[in-house]
Amino acid sequence: MNSCQSSDTSGERKRWSLDNFEVGRPLGKGKFGNVYLAREVNSKFIVALKMLFKSQLQKANVEHQLRREIEIQANLRHPNILRLYGYFYDEKRVFLILEYAAQGELYKVLQSQPNGCFDEKRTARYILQLSQALGYCHSKKVIHRDIKPENILLDLRGDLKIADFGWSVHSPSSKRTTLCGTLDYLPPEMVEGKAHDENVDLWSIGVLAYEFLCGSPPFESESNAETYKKISKVDLKFPSHLSPGAKDLISRLLRHSPRERLNLEGVCKHPWIVKMLNPSG
Ligand code: AMP
């Protein structure tokens, strides 16, 4: 087994290899390999070990993206951002040593709810945690750009962890993004191929708040063309069960003009968030 350098929890260089881990059950299957529950042999520390096949990374031409993801995620320290403790590789595979999120994907938890949505209290808790994590990212000049339920995990206590930094960039960025996958979470400036900044993440908080409360994202349609139109026009309709406070927060985030969106501090202090998180509220 070859081993390679990685940075450990204290930021010092440390050599990790597969021999350092007892590998347990698979936690999930990703696009480029599997994720396993694992335990570091000496400390017994539990982690999630993500195994990626180099051949598949090369085929999809995403080695550069992975390098950036590692570089960004390994340097972030926040209770609502999944830790990347280190990495190592052998001839065929790359391994990421990740914090273990025991409750798994938020997406699946959402789908398993009786009505496919969360109540307002739970939504407010997730939106606050997400906003605090993104506030931290933005303070480090990192824009996530790909906030969606599939990229959010939950730990043992049910706290939210942003997990996937594959599309994140260091700002400022005027990049035109190659769009792939769903358009549902993208803001007007990105679907329209315009320059964008950290305000893209504000839009996705609004989309997520809507999806948590209503069970599906606000601009979901039969076709990409239809979704594109709805995003561009900000064609937003609320179901009748939403409270005025929730509607107010979402409407303030889903603004076509990036600069008009409620900022992260404003989200954390929004009266609906404050009311929902107040034990007597
Ligand atoms: P990914 O390759 O990141 O899409 O991961 C594939 C699946 O593995 C996810 O859908 C999760 O169910 C699971 N998974 C990934 N990372 C973790 C983690 N850190 N803790 C627990 N489960 C994880």
Side-chain angles (χ1 to χ4, degrees):
M1 172 76 216
N2 296 328
S3 65
C4 296
Q5 280 195 327
S6 70
S7 63
D8 74 359
T9 49
S10 65
E12 286 166 19
R13 304 300 281 179
K14 175 168 170 73
R15 278 172 180 277
W16 292 112
S17 81
L18 204 47
D19 298 335
N20 294 115
F21 298 93
E22 290 164 359
V23 179
R25 70 177 174 93
L27 293 170
K29 212 173 156 50
K31 214 168 163 192
F32 303 107
N34 295 335
V35 182
Y36 298 93
L37 188 63
R39 184 161 64 176
E40 202 268 323
V41 175
N42 285 332
S43 63
K44 309 280 183 217
F45 192 74
I46 298 285
V47 295
L49 204 56
K50 189 169 183 171
M51 185 186 76
L52 305 156
F53 286 100
K54 285 182 180 176
S55 56
Q56 292 178 25
L57 294 167
Q58 274 159 6
K59 210 162 137 195
N61 201 18
V62 291
E63 301 125 290
H64 175 73
Q65 196 174 315
L66 177 66
R67 251 185 228 117
R68 189 170 57 195
E69 179 176 357
I70 291 172
E71 195 182 303
I72 288 177
Q73 204 175 343
N75 284 304
L76 297 176
R77 304 270 185 285
H78 188 277
N80 301 113
I81 296 175
L82 195 80
R83 278 290 304 273
L84 171 63
Y85 297 117
Y87 69 94
F88 55 92
Y89 49 87
D90 63 16
E91 239 168 72
K92 296 210 165 109
R93 301 165 296 183
V94 179
F95 297 87
L96 305 185
I97 311 165
L98 293 163
E99 177 180 355
Y100 171 50
Q103 287 192 31
E105 274 182 72
L106 179 67
Y107 181 65
K108 288 189 189 145
V109 178
L110 179 64
Q111 282 189 328
S112 71
Q113 300 303 300
N115 300 322
C117 32
F118 295 133
D119 65 26
E120 298 208 355
K121 261 193 175 39
R122 190 162 176 185
T123 300
R125 177 175 166 222
Y126 290 150
I127 294 301
L128 180 68
Q129 292 184 348
L130 186 62
S131 302
Q132 288 169 339
L134 288 169
Y136 170 81
C137 289
H138 293 181
S139 76
K140 301 237 160 210
K141 300 279 173 242
V142 170
I143 317 174
H144 191 284
R145 303 199 301 178
D146 195 23
I147 296 293
K148 53 185 174 188
E150 294 88 330
N151 289 342
I152 297 173
L153 298 173
L154 295 175
D155 71 4
L156 194 58
R157 295 169 30 169
D159 285 333
L160 174 153
K161 304 273 174 180
I162 301 181
D164 196 325
F165 283 79
W167 281 104
S168 60
V169 283
H170 274 110
S171 60
S173 157
S174 56
K175 267 198 178 162
R176 283 161 192 272
T177 314
T178 334
L179 299 179
C180 56
T182 171
L183 291 179
D184 280 309
Y185 302 89
L186 296 178
E189 63 272 28
M190 279 178 84
V191 297
E192 290 164 9
K194 294 184 188 148
H196 55 266
D197 56 19
E198 71 269 17
N199 294 320
V200 297
D201 288 338
L202 298 173
W203 175 276
S204 24
I205 297 175
V207 175
L208 269 192
Y210 185 104
E211 180 166 3
F212 290 169
L213 293 168
C214 308
S216 53
F219 309 109
E220 193 175 64
S221 311
E222 292 283 303
S223 69
N224 267 353
E226 199 59 32
T227 307
Y228 175 98
K229 244 197 256 168
K230 284 189 180 174
I231 294 173
S232 207
K233 286 197 307 192
V234 197
D235 182 3
L236 182 62
K237 291 188 184 82
F238 293 111
S240 55
H241 69 82
L242 280 205
S243 71
K247 282 193 238 179
D248 183 80
L249 175 66
I250 294 167
S251 318
R252 286 177 195 275
L253 288 163
L254 298 180
R255 291 278 163 93
H256 189 280
S257 165
R259 285 215 239 128
E260 281 177 19
R261 292 173 201 151
L262 185 66
N263 65 23
L264 290 170
E265 208 191 324
V267 177
C268 299
K269 289 185 182 160
H270 187 275
W272 176 77
I273 296 274
V274 175
K275 183 174 160 208
M276 286 302 134
L277 297 175
N278 182 335
S280 59

